[in-house]
PDB file of all heavy atoms in Angstrom:
ATOM      1  N   GLY A  17      42.869   6.395 -50.626  1.00  0.00           N
ATOM      2  CA  GLY A  17      43.466   5.339 -49.789  1.00  0.00           C
ATOM      3  C   GLY A  17      43.176   5.603 -48.284  1.00  0.00           C
ATOM      4  O   GLY A  17      43.605   6.648 -47.792  1.00  0.00           O
ATOM      5  N   PRO A  20      46.851   3.367 -43.262  1.00  0.00           N
ATOM      6  CA  PRO A  20      47.408   4.184 -42.159  1.00  0.00           C
ATOM      7  C   PRO A  20      47.900   5.561 -42.752  1.00  0.00           C
ATOM      8  O   PRO A  20      47.760   6.622 -41.985  1.00  0.00           O
ATOM      9  CB  PRO A  20      48.599   3.456 -41.598  1.00  0.00           C
ATOM     10  CG  PRO A  20      48.600   2.064 -42.243  1.00  0.00           C
ATOM     11  CD  PRO A  20      47.508   2.050 -43.293  1.00  0.00           C
ATOM     12  N   SER A  21      48.532   5.621 -43.915  1.00  0.00           N
ATOM     13  CA  SER A  21      48.981   6.939 -44.389  1.00  0.00           C
ATOM     14  C   SER A  21      47.786   7.953 -44.635  1.00  0.00           C
ATOM     15  O   SER A  21      47.818   9.023 -44.221  1.00  0.00           O
ATOM     16  CB  SER A  21      49.710   6.803 -45.799  1.00  0.00           C
ATOM     17  OG  SER A  21      50.759   5.915 -45.652  1.00  0.00           O
ATOM     18  N   GLU A  40      38.272   5.257 -50.599  1.00  0.00           N
ATOM     19  CA  GLU A  40      38.961   3.949 -50.369  1.00  0.00           C
ATOM     20  C   GLU A  40      38.292   2.898 -51.183  1.00  0.00           C
ATOM     21  O   GLU A  40      37.045   2.715 -51.157  1.00  0.00           O
ATOM     22  CB  GLU A  40      38.949   3.662 -48.913  1.00  0.00           C
ATOM     23  CG  GLU A  40      39.173   2.141 -48.482  1.00  0.00           C
ATOM     24  CD  GLU A  40      40.665   1.687 -48.883  1.00  0.00           C
ATOM     25  OE1 GLU A  40      41.645   2.369 -48.536  1.00  0.00           O
ATOM     26  OE2 GLU A  40      40.680   0.540 -49.537  1.00  0.00           O
ATOM     27  N   ARG A  41      39.102   2.056 -51.835  1.00  0.00           N
ATOM     28  CA  ARG A  41      38.546   0.995 -52.715  1.00  0.00           C
ATOM     29  C   ARG A  41      37.846  -0.145 -51.983  1.00  0.00           C
ATOM     30  O   ARG A  41      36.902  -0.676 -52.421  1.00  0.00           O
ATOM     31  CB  ARG A  41      39.755   0.497 -53.493  1.00  0.00           C
ATOM     32  CG  ARG A  41      39.400  -0.722 -54.401  1.00  0.00           C
ATOM     33  CD  ARG A  41      40.493  -0.916 -55.451  1.00  0.00           C
ATOM     34  NE  ARG A  41      41.709  -1.326 -54.921  1.00  0.00           N
ATOM     35  CZ  ARG A  41      42.851  -1.562 -55.605  1.00  0.00           C
ATOM     36  NH1 ARG A  41      42.831  -1.398 -56.894  1.00  0.00           N
ATOM     37  NH2 ARG A  41      43.951  -1.959 -54.988  1.00  0.00           N
ATOM     38  N   GLN A  42      38.446  -0.514 -50.785  1.00  0.00           N
ATOM     39  CA  GLN A  42      37.908  -1.643 -50.010  1.00  0.00           C
ATOM     40  C   GLN A  42      36.882  -1.249 -48.995  1.00  0.00           C
ATOM     41  O   GLN A  42      36.605  -0.001 -48.843  1.00  0.00           O
ATOM     42  CB  GLN A  42      39.079  -2.251 -49.232  1.00  0.00           C
ATOM     43  CG  GLN A  42      40.276  -2.682 -50.085  1.00  0.00           C
ATOM     44  CD  GLN A  42      39.962  -4.006 -50.839  1.00  0.00           C
ATOM     45  OE1 GLN A  42      38.908  -4.641 -50.706  1.00  0.00           O
ATOM     46  NE2 GLN A  42      40.908  -4.372 -51.688  1.00  0.00           N
ATOM     47  N   ARG A  50      43.367  -5.907 -41.730  1.00  0.00           N
ATOM     48  CA  ARG A  50      44.718  -6.240 -42.301  1.00  0.00           C
ATOM     49  C   ARG A  50      45.735  -6.327 -41.142  1.00  0.00           C
ATOM     50  O   ARG A  50      45.766  -5.554 -40.234  1.00  0.00           O
ATOM     51  CB  ARG A  50      45.144  -5.179 -43.264  1.00  0.00           C
ATOM     52  CG  ARG A  50      44.439  -5.334 -44.595  1.00  0.00           C
ATOM     53  CD  ARG A  50      45.231  -4.549 -45.726  1.00  0.00           C
ATOM     54  NE  ARG A  50      45.047  -3.188 -45.470  1.00  0.00           N
ATOM     55  CZ  ARG A  50      44.551  -2.321 -46.397  1.00  0.00           C
ATOM     56  NH1 ARG A  50      44.170  -2.752 -47.492  1.00  0.00           N
ATOM     57  NH2 ARG A  50      44.436  -1.040 -46.100  1.00  0.00           N
ATOM     58  N   ARG A  52      49.599  -6.429 -40.190  1.00  0.00           N
ATOM     59  CA  ARG A  52      50.955  -6.090 -40.666  1.00  0.00           C
ATOM     60  C   ARG A  52      51.956  -5.976 -39.446  1.00  0.00           C
ATOM     61  O   ARG A  52      51.682  -6.406 -38.341  1.00  0.00           O
ATOM     62  CB  ARG A  52      50.950  -4.900 -41.546  1.00  0.00           C
ATOM     63  CG  ARG A  52      50.381  -5.316 -42.908  1.00  0.00           C
ATOM     64  CD  ARG A  52      50.084  -4.195 -43.825  1.00  0.00           C
ATOM     65  NE  ARG A  52      49.674  -4.614 -45.182  1.00  0.00           N
ATOM     66  CZ  ARG A  52      48.996  -3.923 -45.981  1.00  0.00           C
ATOM     67  NH1 ARG A  52      48.565  -2.720 -45.639  1.00  0.00           N
ATOM     68  NH2 ARG A  52      48.696  -4.287 -47.137  1.00  0.00           N
ATOM     69  N   GLN A 110      50.044  -2.558 -36.204  1.00  0.00           N
ATOM     70  CA  GLN A 110      49.448  -1.655 -37.236  1.00  0.00           C
ATOM     71  C   GLN A 110      47.961  -1.768 -37.289  1.00  0.00           C
ATOM     72  O   GLN A 110      47.315  -0.708 -37.596  1.00  0.00           O
ATOM     73  CB  GLN A 110      50.125  -1.930 -38.631  1.00  0.00           C
ATOM     74  CG  GLN A 110      49.655  -1.057 -39.767  1.00  0.00           C
ATOM     75  CD  GLN A 110      50.391  -1.239 -41.071  1.00  0.00           C
ATOM     76  OE1 GLN A 110      51.627  -1.515 -40.980  1.00  0.00           O
ATOM     77  NE2 GLN A 110      49.703  -1.134 -42.128  1.00  0.00           N
ATOM     78  N   VAL A 135      38.315   4.180 -59.172  1.00  0.00           N
ATOM     79  CA  VAL A 135      38.783   5.516 -58.839  1.00  0.00           C
ATOM     80  C   VAL A 135      39.771   5.976 -59.935  1.00  0.00           C
ATOM     81  O   VAL A 135      40.695   5.264 -60.309  1.00  0.00           O
ATOM     82  CB  VAL A 135      39.459   5.572 -57.449  1.00  0.00           C
ATOM     83  CG1 VAL A 135      40.112   6.897 -57.184  1.00  0.00           C
ATOM     84  CG2 VAL A 135      38.503   5.050 -56.395  1.00  0.00           C
ATOM     85  N   ASP A 167      47.441   5.448 -51.682  1.00  0.00           N
ATOM     86  CA  ASP A 167      46.724   4.219 -52.124  1.00  0.00           C
ATOM     87  C   ASP A 167      47.629   3.014 -52.221  1.00  0.00           C
ATOM     88  O   ASP A 167      47.306   2.087 -52.988  1.00  0.00           O
ATOM     89  CB  ASP A 167      46.014   4.502 -53.392  1.00  0.00           C
ATOM     90  CG  ASP A 167      46.697   5.176 -54.484  1.00  0.00           C
ATOM     91  OD1 ASP A 167      47.846   5.569 -54.287  1.00  0.00           O
ATOM     92  OD2 ASP A 167      46.204   5.119 -55.570  1.00  0.00           O
ATOM     93  N   ASP A 294      53.235   3.597 -49.053  1.00  0.00           N
ATOM     94  CA  ASP A 294      53.500   2.513 -49.987  1.00  0.00           C
ATOM     95  C   ASP A 294      53.272   2.891 -51.480  1.00  0.00           C
ATOM     96  O   ASP A 294      53.718   2.216 -52.283  1.00  0.00           O
ATOM     97  CB  ASP A 294      52.704   1.253 -49.589  1.00  0.00           C
ATOM     98  CG  ASP A 294      53.393   0.459 -48.550  1.00  0.00           C
ATOM     99  OD1 ASP A 294      54.201   0.963 -47.801  1.00  0.00           O
ATOM    100  OD2 ASP A 294      53.058  -0.796 -48.455  1.00  0.00           O
ATOM    101  N   GLY A 306      58.217  -0.079 -42.736  1.00  0.00           N
ATOM    102  CA  GLY A 306      57.218   0.297 -43.718  1.00  0.00           C
ATOM    103  C   GLY A 306      56.180   1.419 -43.138  1.00  0.00           C
ATOM    104  O   GLY A 306      56.034   2.407 -43.784  1.00  0.00           O
ATOM    105  N   LEU A 307      55.607   1.078 -42.012  1.00  0.00           N
ATOM    106  CA  LEU A 307      54.659   1.973 -41.426  1.00  0.00           C
ATOM    107  C   LEU A 307      55.277   3.285 -40.952  1.00  0.00           C
ATOM    108  O   LEU A 307      54.810   4.388 -41.172  1.00  0.00           O
ATOM    109  CB  LEU A 307      53.936   1.285 -40.291  1.00  0.00           C
ATOM    110  CG  LEU A 307      52.954   2.137 -39.506  1.00  0.00           C
ATOM    111  CD1 LEU A 307      51.760   2.492 -40.397  1.00  0.00           C
ATOM    112  CD2 LEU A 307      52.398   1.380 -38.248  1.00  0.00           C
TER     113      LEU A 307
HETATM  114  N1  APR B  25      41.339   3.639 -54.952  1.00  0.00           N
HETATM  115  C1  APR B  25      41.141   3.872 -53.656  1.00  0.00           C
HETATM  116  N2  APR B  25      41.838   3.188 -52.722  1.00  0.00           N
HETATM  117  C2  APR B  25      42.750   2.429 -53.113  1.00  0.00           C
HETATM  118  C3  APR B  25      43.096   2.142 -54.508  1.00  0.00           C
HETATM  119  C4  APR B  25      42.258   2.843 -55.389  1.00  0.00           C
HETATM  120  N3  APR B  25      42.586   2.705 -56.708  1.00  0.00           N
HETATM  121  N4  APR B  25      44.104   1.304 -54.491  1.00  0.00           N
HETATM  122  C5  APR B  25      44.473   0.959 -53.339  1.00  0.00           C
HETATM  123  N5  APR B  25      43.643   1.662 -52.395  1.00  0.00           N
HETATM  124  C6  APR B  25      43.667   1.593 -50.979  1.00  0.00           C
HETATM  125  C7  APR B  25      43.954   0.180 -50.374  1.00  0.00           C
HETATM  126  O1  APR B  25      42.737  -0.598 -50.416  1.00  0.00           O
HETATM  127  C8  APR B  25      44.479   0.451 -49.067  1.00  0.00           C
HETATM  128  O2  APR B  25      43.490   0.520 -48.036  1.00  0.00           O
HETATM  129  O3  APR B  25      44.793   2.380 -50.450  1.00  0.00           O
HETATM  130  C9  APR B  25      45.089   1.897 -49.169  1.00  0.00           C
HETATM  131  C10 APR B  25      46.628   1.821 -48.997  1.00  0.00           C
HETATM  132  O4  APR B  25      46.963   1.369 -47.815  1.00  0.00           O
HETATM  133  P1  APR B  25      48.390   0.604 -47.488  1.00  0.00           P
HETATM  134  O5  APR B  25      48.712  -0.373 -48.606  1.00  0.00           O
HETATM  135  O6  APR B  25      48.311   0.116 -46.086  1.00  0.00           O
HETATM  136  O7  APR B  25      49.510   1.735 -47.574  1.00  0.00           O
HETATM  137  P2  APR B  25      49.747   2.888 -46.630  1.00  0.00           P
HETATM  138  O8  APR B  25      48.630   3.515 -46.030  1.00  0.00           O
HETATM  139  O9  APR B  25      50.837   3.839 -47.349  1.00  0.00           O
HETATM  140  O10 APR B  25      50.572   2.257 -45.376  1.00  0.00           O
HETATM  141  C11 APR B  25      51.835   1.899 -45.387  1.00  0.00           C
HETATM  142  O11 APR B  25      51.142  -0.046 -44.303  1.00  0.00           O
HETATM  143  O12 APR B  25      50.876  -1.385 -46.153  1.00  0.00           O
HETATM  144  C12 APR B  25      51.581  -1.180 -44.996  1.00  0.00           C
HETATM  145  O13 APR B  25      53.766  -2.175 -45.327  1.00  0.00           O
HETATM  146  C13 APR B  25      53.057  -0.985 -45.367  1.00  0.00           C
HETATM  147  O14 APR B  25      53.496  -0.603 -43.190  1.00  0.00           O
HETATM  148  C14 APR B  25      53.294   0.013 -44.428  1.00  0.00           C
HETATM  149  C15 APR B  25      52.092   0.904 -44.378  1.00  0.00           C
END
Side-chain angles (χ1 to χ4, degrees):
S21 301
E40 164 60 51
R41 173 164 68 180
Q42 302 286 355
R50 284 196 290 235
R52 283 173 174 154
Q110 181 171 324
V135 176
D167 51 346
D294 275 22
L307 178 64

